[in-house]
Amino acid sequence: MDKNKKDDIKFWFFKKAYVLVTALIAGVLIGLASLGGERFNHKQNETVKFEGVEYSITKVERNPVDLYEDYVELKVTIKIKNKSKETKSYSSWNFGVTNKKEEEITKAGMVTDDGTYLKSGDLEPGEEVEGAISWFIKKDATDIRVRYVKEMFNTSGKYDFQWSLDN
């Protein structure tokens, strides 16, 4: 076989391999993008392990409120357990609520602390804390997500994990 024919075959092979690899990479990227935020989604009863800490929802309540006619208080009790070998910080400010479509479903308002609310603090290895966080949400809100964001003042919309609440 002459050299030109070999070069043509090599070029054809590399061209096909390049197209195949590019298509594969594009497919993976499209697949990941289509997952959106749901890729870090957990069921309400699942314990989430994140950076050596276990997070779980132990109770969800919807309570009527007098302040807003079309809203209820969503009160979620969360247990946080430090399973690492170092001190870990926690705060109620790391949690937020939205729905699957990321629509605004909350309204600002002051909830009354009945002594069960999650504050902020540090957990030594093996320690745990449990406390409630509340939001005023639309009565008809569905597909509700409770989200955890490590960087509490993050405005990018990215989050570390979330739970889908049973409706």
Side-chain angles (χ1 to χ4, degrees), residues 44 59-65 70-77 97-99 105 133-146 164-167:
Q44 177 178 317
K59 189 176 187 182
V60 176
E61 303 170 72
R62 286 185 187 224
N63 303 313
V65 292
D70 295 332
Y71 288 77
V72 295
E73 176 195 30
L74 175 68
K75 185 176 176 183
V76 179
T77 304
V97 68
T98 188
N99 68 4
I105 61 168
I133 304 170
S134 289
W135 301 271
F136 292 128
I137 65 164
K138 292 180 181 177
K139 281 184 181 178
D140 61 353
T142 59
D143 292 323
I144 298 169
R145 309 295 195 247
V146 174
S164 293
L165 298 186
D166 301 336
N167 290 323

Side-chain angles (χ1 to χ4, degrees), residues 33-140:
S34 70
L35 289 173
E38 294 295 305
R39 65 184 158 187
F40 302 113
N41 194 42
H42 301 275
K43 293 180 181 174
Q44 177 178 317
N45 63 349
E46 289 181 6
T47 297
V48 178
K49 296 174 183 168
F50 179 74
E51 295 187 350
V53 179
E54 290 182 354
Y55 299 86
S56 57
I57 293 177
T58 60
K59 189 176 187 182
V60 176
E61 303 170 72
R62 286 185 187 224
N63 303 313
V65 292
D66 295 332
L67 190 58
Y68 303 114
E69 184 177 311
D70 295 332
Y71 288 77
V72 295
E73 176 195 30
L74 175 68
K75 185 176 176 183
V76 179
T77 304
I78 297 174
K79 181 192 261 184
I80 305 169
K81 185 169 186 177
N82 183 356
K83 301 288 273 185
S84 75
K85 295 181 180 184
E86 54 193 50
T87 302
K88 297 286 186 170
S89 296
Y90 68 91
S91 175
S92 61
W93 291 99
N94 293 109
F95 297 90
V97 68
T98 188
N99 68 4
K100 185 175 182 176
K101 296 179 183 178
E102 298 192 22
E103 298 167 328
E104 183 59 46
I105 61 168
T106 61
K107 190 170 207 71
M110 296 293 288
V111 292
T112 305
D113 185 351
D114 61 1
T116 65
Y117 286 97
L118 184 67
K119 308 270 192 278
S120 299
D122 292 321
L123 292 175
E124 296 301 321
E127 287 185 333
E128 65 183 57
V129 65
E130 187 170 0
I133 304 170
S134 289
W135 301 271
F136 292 128
I137 65 164
K138 292 180 181 177
K139 281 184 181 178
D140 61 353

Side-chain angles (χ1 to χ4, degrees), residues 5-56:
K5 188 70 169 173
K6 285 183 181 179
D7 287 344
D8 286 346
I9 291 171
K10 283 181 186 177
F11 177 73
W12 179 86
F13 175 75
F14 286 120
K15 184 174 152 183
K16 296 295 181 189
Y18 175 77
V19 169
L20 182 62
V21 168
T22 302
L24 181 62
I25 290 171
V28 168
L29 292 175
I30 289 169
L32 287 174
S34 70
L35 289 173
E38 294 295 305
R39 65 184 158 187
F40 302 113
N41 194 42
H42 301 275
K43 293 180 181 174
Q44 177 178 317
N45 63 349
E46 289 181 6
T47 297
V48 178
K49 296 174 183 168
F50 179 74
E51 295 187 350
V53 179
E54 290 182 354
Y55 299 86
S56 57

